[in-house]
Amino acid sequence: MNPENANLNSPLKTEDFVRSVLQLRPQLAVFDCDGTLWPGDAGAGFFEWELSRGVVSDEIVRWARARYADYLAGKVSEDDMCAEMVTMNRGLPEAEVERQAAPFFEAEIARDIFPEMKALVLDLQALGCEIWAVSSTSEWVIRAGMKAFGIPPNRVLAATVAVEDGKVTDKMIRVPSGKGKPQAIREVIARTPDAVFGNSIWDADMLEIAHHPYAINPTPELRKIAREKRWPVYFPNSVVAL
């Protein structure tokens, strides 16, 4: 059931949004990250960061740029591209990729975190809510970013590969995108979230399983779904709602 004070025809104001969530007193809440906790795509940003700084070989750089162009042209699926942004690091020490992820997040993403969303996460934690981050961006980037939200590494479900002898492999463990998000929640958390927050069509399946779904800074595709399903919509103050 949606919060009683949700205006189903227009986005919620900040105070109404925050109140509607906190009054639920959820025990388990799940947040998407890119576009929901901050604007933009940290996965694509870290991809460019690695390519432009020589983290991977020149051969991988040439392949990755061509592959990304195919993705933008619709020739590579969302799941495959998200996976390949992680597996392109195969053979590298995981510690090196982690060392790159932290300064990337601080330099490129941290300053744009939606303050209302960060405050909400911290308020929910203060109420005893268990918070998880679920994202198709690499685990290294999301874990680095979640430090600002007080979310521990063991409550991050993101694009993940197996690591053997300290080195990244090309063996994918999960890519939480689309239907992969509720699947990851069922497999790892094994409970139905009281509240879920997401911004894009790739979050729709995850929002669908929540007791209380919220469309945050939604893309036009997700806003259409939210309108049809009567989900509350919220645009952070720094975003101009279309």
Side-chain angles (χ1 to χ4, degrees):
M1 188 172 82
N2 292 325
E4 292 181 357
N5 66 342
N7 185 330
L8 298 172
N9 296 312
S10 61
L12 293 166
K13 295 180 180 179
T14 297
E15 58 270 25
D16 294 330
F17 164 64
V18 172
R19 187 185 309 112
S20 75
V21 176
L22 296 182
Q23 72 182 10
L24 297 172
R25 300 193 70 86
Q27 296 301 301
L28 173 63
V30 173
F31 288 79
D32 168 55
C33 297
D34 295 327
T36 300
L37 297 179
W38 53 74
D41 185 343
F46 188 56
F47 176 73
E48 178 59 34
W49 175 280
E50 289 192 281
L51 299 186
S52 64
R53 285 166 173 75
V55 178
V56 295
S57 69
D58 290 345
E59 180 182 0
I60 293 294
V61 170
R62 288 191 294 272
W63 170 83
R65 291 202 182 282
R67 188 68 167 165
Y68 193 65
D70 285 344
Y71 163 72
L72 294 177
K75 299 177 182 178
V76 177
S77 73
E78 178 79 7
D79 282 5
D80 285 348
M81 194 70 244
C82 290
E84 290 167 2
M85 285 181 173
V86 180
T87 58
M88 74 174 191
N89 293 285
R90 61 189 176 277
L92 293 178
E94 185 184 32
E96 173 58 27
V97 184
E98 290 174 332
R99 278 194 293 270
Q100 293 292 328
F104 158 75
F105 192 89
E106 286 303 312
E108 302 295 332
I109 305 296
R111 65 181 178 272
D112 294 323
I113 288 172
F114 296 134
E116 312 96 310
M117 297 304 295
K118 179 178 178 180
L120 176 63
V121 170
L122 297 177
D123 285 347
L124 285 171
Q125 289 174 322
L127 291 174
C129 182
E130 180 180 324
I131 308 286
W132 286 72
V134 179
S135 174
S136 60
T137 289
S138 79
E139 181 179 67
W140 305 302
V141 171
I142 300 303
R143 284 183 170 180
M146 289 306 98
K147 292 177 182 178
F149 295 83
I151 298 175
N154 65 348
R155 289 187 181 169
V156 168
L157 296 175
T160 307
V161 292
V163 175
E164 297 176 357
D165 297 323
K167 292 187 177 182
V168 177
T169 73
D170 58 2
K171 301 173 184 176
M172 289 303 305
I173 294 175
R174 71 175 60 90
V175 181
S177 178
K179 294 185 182 301
K181 289 193 171 187
Q183 178 181 345
I185 290 170
R186 285 191 293 267
E187 290 177 353
V188 179
I189 305 177
R191 284 171 287 145
T192 299
D194 296 306
V196 169
F197 306 81
N199 82 297
S200 79
I201 192 71
W202 306 110
D203 299 315
D205 290 300
M206 177 172 74
L207 289 162
E208 191 74 54
I209 70 170
H211 293 306
H212 299 278
Y214 285 85
I216 307 299
N217 183 32
T219 60
E221 297 90 344
L222 185 65
R223 191 165 185 186
K224 180 176 183 292
I225 294 171
R227 187 177 297 113
E228 293 169 351
K229 294 184 177 293
R230 302 169 66 84
W231 294 342
V233 172
Y234 172 68
F235 286 92
N237 291 330
S238 58
V239 176
V240 177
L242 299 178

